[in-house]
Each structure stands twice: as structure tokens, then as C-alpha cells.
């Protein structure tokens, strides 16, 4: 396993967040950091992980800890990955490629968003062993089939279908910042760019971020981000559509955003391979249960053959170990990676991997568990 070092001036994800806030324009920071409505759901996500206590066990040898996990008949060296983040390059120009490259080096999953800003073929080539593709299900079946054919041809290892955006989110920070694509340079946005020249110059050099993988399917000029997503997506992905996707996609198929038991039951019946229990990082429904709560409710589906994964609110390696104790084979953290990029530019990708790797390793050893695969509910207080 490659050992990632990290800059100890920023030893925690919260340090990266603080630095990112200074280094990138507010509209970009808010796009990543923001949640829905009053952002209570986002805060509850975070607090719920703190409530999970692990009882340390001593009297055992933990000179080495094995951090690897097995998902869809493949071993990954690390049990956490990069979830899909639309408009990734807005956090830092080139962020998506830097993250995919770091994920390949670390042997951990990297999920490319439908609304990414780097061509999917380039990401698949940079991360041939670990790249998964996330699908926002297009309303039009022919568009969906065309996109999936490209994803297959590029060689992605798994397909992740996001369920939890039946309607565009009303995110107040984005509305106040006037965030739109293509960028309309309002005086506020010009001022924010001028006061963050490193970000602005790199963005200028790299080119304005845009939804390159779906541009060809556009029918009219974009409105706000949420509006574009609303126009492209199905308003509620139906069971029939998931059944169709199951017929079209013959590789590992994952549903993301599952919180309701009948939904995971349906997934099992349709032949879905895995789920990511998630509330989209508190970005879609402020009243949604935390992913900790949903994971506790649904974890028993692992015994029925469902691969359980989780995201939303994970910020430390200890959280990844907690997630495994609750039944998740793999955990993802969206904002961690993007704060890393915002704080340190492209070097932020490996910084975040290094922090998580170190923290997972230390937590496993601290609780007396020599292998991530062995971590289970027996450690819960
Ligand atoms: C800025 C941003 C953009 C996102 N874009 C997508 C996306 O395109 N597709 C998707 O399925 N989830 C998307 N998500 C949700 C993440 O994949 C993930 O579920 C969430 O970030 C997990 O919560 P956390 O940020 O608290 O770790 C996005 C999240 C953020 C913060």
C-alpha cells in the first residue's frame, strides 16, 4: 500500500476548510459548503457521526493494520472514496483530474459526476482501475442510452445512479450569490474573482468550467445550476427506469441516496449490486434522516447480498471506521476532498487521502482491530 504523507500544517479536514474559505471566491466556497434551507440537515449529519462510540480493545498486537476492503469482487487498498461532485473544477481548476489520479494511485474509488467538468473519457483513462460513473437519469431514454454507451466504452468499473434529486434544490447561498452557468459576471462575482487572483488566473488559464459530458444534449441556454439539472433529469426516477438501466448496464450497479426501506427492498428485487446510503450531504431535504440513522435502519440488507456504502457528514478517518462498525464496506466524503483542493490547489487531493489514510490506520490500531474487514458492530458502545 502506498503511504501518503501530508502537510502537518493542515492536519485535519477542518483546517483545509478554513484555508479554502480564504483562498477561493465565496460563490465557489458556498457552492460546495452550502446545504438546503436552514442547513440543519447538514449539521445533523456531522453530529450524528460524533454520537457513534467505539469501545477500544487492548491486549492484542496491532503493529500492522490492513485498511483494504472488497467491493464488487475487487480489492481496494482504502475503504473510502471520492463521491460524485458536479462542477468539480469550480473548486479548483483541474480538481477532477487531480482527484482521479490520486484515487488511482491510492487504489480507492473515484466517482465521476454526470455534471462533471472533465470529459469522462479522460477520467476513465487516468483512473482505469478505480473510476465509477454517476448517472443523473436523463428524462429522455435515448439520451440515457447514448450516455451509458459512452460510459461503457470508456471502461468505467461501476455505474452509480443517483435517486435523490427529483426536483432541483433551492439552495439559498447559491441564489444569493447569483451562481449561474455560463458565468454571468455580476459586479459581486467580478469582485470575488479580483480578490482571489490565484484561483481566478488558474480558472482563466484552464477555461471556464462547464458540463462537458452533457453539453451535446442541451436544448437551450442554461439557467441557474439547479434549473439546468431540473431540465435534464427525470423528475423522480421510477422503478421501471431502474429496471431498464439494469438491462442496459451489465456491470456493477449502485443506487445512491437510498434511505427508505422499500427502496432498498426494490433494489434487491431488481438485481442492484450496492447502495450508497446518503442524504446528498444535506443538500436536498433538510428534514431527511441522517445517513447514520438510515445506515442503522438498513444495514441488515448486507446479509441479503447488498453491498452497503455510505456518505454525508464524514470528515475523519474515525468516521470511516464508525461507518464500517455500522455495516458500510465503503464510505465517501464529498466536501473533504473539495476543501482540500480549495486549500492547497491540486496538491490537496493527496493531502486529503493522506489524512484519511493516517486516521483510519490509527483508529483501527487504537481500538484493537488489525483489519478494516473485521471491524463490525461488536465494537459499538
Ligand atoms: C458541491 C457538491 C456537488 C455535488 N454534486 C453531486 C453530483 O453531481 N452527483 C451526486 O450524485 N451527488 C453530488 N453531490 C453529493 C455528494 O456526492 C455526496 O453525496 C455528498 O457530498 C456527501 O456529503 P458530504 O459532503 O457531507 O461528505 C454533491 C455534493 C457537493 C458538496
Amino acid at each position: 500500500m502506498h503511504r501518503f504523507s501530508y502537510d502537518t500544517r493542515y492536519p485535519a479536514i477542518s483546517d483545509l476548510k478554513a484555508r479554502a474559505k480564504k483562498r477561493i471566491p465565496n460563490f465557489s466556497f458556498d457552492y460546495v459548503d452550502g446545504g438546503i434551507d436552514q442547513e440543519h440537515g447538514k449539521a445533523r449529519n456531522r453530529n450524528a457521526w460524533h454520537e457513534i462510540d467505539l469501545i477500544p480493545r487492548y491486549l492484542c498486537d496491532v503493529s500492522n493494520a490492513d485498511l483494504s476492503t472488497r467491493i464488487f469482487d475487487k480489492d481496494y487498498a482504502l475503504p473510502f472514496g471520492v463521491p460524485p461532485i458536479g462542477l468539480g473544477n469550480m473548486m479548483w481548476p483541474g480538481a477532477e483530474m487531480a482527484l482521479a489520479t490520486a484515487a488511482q494511485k491510492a487504489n480507492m474509488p473515484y466517482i465521476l459526476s454526470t455534471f462533471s467538468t472533465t470529459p469522462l473519457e479522460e477520467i476513465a483513462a487516468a483512473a482505469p482501475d478505480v473510476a465509477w460513473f454517476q448517472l443523473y437519469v436523463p428524462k429522455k431514454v435515448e439520451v440515457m442510452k447514448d450516455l451509458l454507451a459512452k460510459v461503457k466504452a470508456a471502461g468505467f468499473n461501476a455505474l452509480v445512479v443517483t435517486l435523490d434529486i427529483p426536483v432541483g434544490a433551492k439552495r439559498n447561498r447559491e441564489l444569493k450569490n447569483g451562481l449561474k452557468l455560463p458565468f454571468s459576471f455580476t459586479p459581486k462575482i467580478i469582485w470575488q474573482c479580483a480578490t482571489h487572483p490565484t484561483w481566478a488566473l488558474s480558472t482563466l488559464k484552464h477555461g471556464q468550467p462547464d458540463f462537458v459530458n452533457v453539453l451535446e444534449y442541451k436544448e437551450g441556454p442554461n439557467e441557474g445550476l439547479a434549473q439546468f439539472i431540473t431540465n435534464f433529469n427525470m423528475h423522480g426516477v421510477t422503478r421501471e427506469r431502474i429496471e431498464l438501466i439494469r438491462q442496459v448496464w451489465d456491470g456493477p450497479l449502485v443506487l445512491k441516496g437510498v434511505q427508505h426501506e422499500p427502496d432498498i427492498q426494490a433494489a434487491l428485487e431488481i438485481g442492484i449490486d450496492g447502495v450508497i446510503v446518503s442524504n446528498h450531504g444535506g443538500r436536498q431535504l433538510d428534514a431527511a434522516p441522517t445517513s447514520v440513522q438510515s445506515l442503522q435502519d438498513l444495514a441488515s440488507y448486507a446479509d441479503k447480498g447488498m453491498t452497503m456504502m455510505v456518505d454525508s457528514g464524514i470528515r475523519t478517518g474515525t468516521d470511516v471506521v464508525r461507518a464500517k462498525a455500522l455495516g458500510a464496506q465503503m464510505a465517501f466524503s464529498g466536501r473533504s476532498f473539495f476543501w482540500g483542493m480549495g486549500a492547497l490547489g491540486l496538491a490537496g487531493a493527496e493531502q486529503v487521502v493522506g489524512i484519511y489514510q493516517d486516521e483510519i490506520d490509527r483508529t483501527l490500531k487504537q481500538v484493537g482491530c488489525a483489519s478494516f474487514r473485521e471491524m463490525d458492530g461488536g465494537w459499538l458502545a
Side-chain angles (χ1 to χ4, degrees), residues 7 277 371:
D7 183 340
V277 174
S371 160

mmCIF file with all atom_site columns, all heavy atoms in Angstrom, residues 7 277 371:
data_model
loop_
_atom_site.group_PDB
_atom_site.id
_atom_site.type_symbol
_atom_site.label_atom_id
_atom_site.label_alt_id
_atom_site.label_comp_id
_atom_site.label_asym_id
_atom_site.label_entity_id
_atom_site.label_seq_id
_atom_site.pdbx_PDB_ins_code
_atom_site.Cartn_x
_atom_site.Cartn_y
_atom_site.Cartn_z
_atom_site.occupancy
_atom_site.B_iso_or_equiv
_atom_site.pdbx_formal_charge
_atom_site.auth_seq_id
_atom_site.auth_comp_id
_atom_site.auth_asym_id
_atom_site.auth_atom_id
_atom_site.pdbx_PDB_model_num
ATOM 1  N N   . ASP A 1 7   ? 0.867   17.499 4.618  1.00 0.00 ? 7   ASP A N   1
ATOM 2  C CA  . ASP A 1 7   ? 1.422   18.712 5.212  1.00 0.00 ? 7   ASP A CA  1
ATOM 3  C C   . ASP A 1 7   ? 0.791   18.894 6.600  1.00 0.00 ? 7   ASP A C   1
ATOM 4  O O   . ASP A 1 7   ? -0.418  19.141 6.719  1.00 0.00 ? 7   ASP A O   1
ATOM 5  C CB  . ASP A 1 7   ? 1.072   19.891 4.280  1.00 0.00 ? 7   ASP A CB  1
ATOM 6  C CG  . ASP A 1 7   ? 1.653   21.204 4.763  1.00 0.00 ? 7   ASP A CG  1
ATOM 7  O OD1 . ASP A 1 7   ? 1.989   21.309 5.962  1.00 0.00 ? 7   ASP A OD1 1
ATOM 8  O OD2 . ASP A 1 7   ? 1.751   22.125 3.935  1.00 0.00 ? 7   ASP A OD2 1
ATOM 9  N N   . VAL A 1 277 ? -25.970 4.760  1.024  1.00 0.00 ? 277 VAL A N   1
ATOM 10 C CA  . VAL A 1 277 ? -26.924 5.403  1.933  1.00 0.00 ? 277 VAL A CA  1
ATOM 11 C C   . VAL A 1 277 ? -26.445 6.847  2.075  1.00 0.00 ? 277 VAL A C   1
ATOM 12 O O   . VAL A 1 277 ? -25.292 7.091  2.462  1.00 0.00 ? 277 VAL A O   1
ATOM 13 C CB  . VAL A 1 277 ? -26.934 4.676  3.290  1.00 0.00 ? 277 VAL A CB  1
ATOM 14 C CG1 . VAL A 1 277 ? -27.798 5.423  4.283  1.00 0.00 ? 277 VAL A CG1 1
ATOM 15 C CG2 . VAL A 1 277 ? -27.399 3.235  3.114  1.00 0.00 ? 277 VAL A CG2 1
ATOM 16 N N   . SER A 1 371 ? -7.589  -5.323 11.102 1.00 0.00 ? 371 SER A N   1
ATOM 17 C CA  . SER A 1 371 ? -8.038  -5.333 9.707  1.00 0.00 ? 371 SER A CA  1
ATOM 18 C C   . SER A 1 371 ? -9.400  -4.650 9.597  1.00 0.00 ? 371 SER A C   1
ATOM 19 O O   . SER A 1 371 ? -10.345 -4.983 10.332 1.00 0.00 ? 371 SER A O   1
ATOM 20 C CB  . SER A 1 371 ? -8.137  -6.786 9.234  1.00 0.00 ? 371 SER A CB  1
ATOM 21 O OG  . SER A 1 371 ? -8.972  -6.869 8.117  1.00 0.00 ? 371 SER A OG  1
#
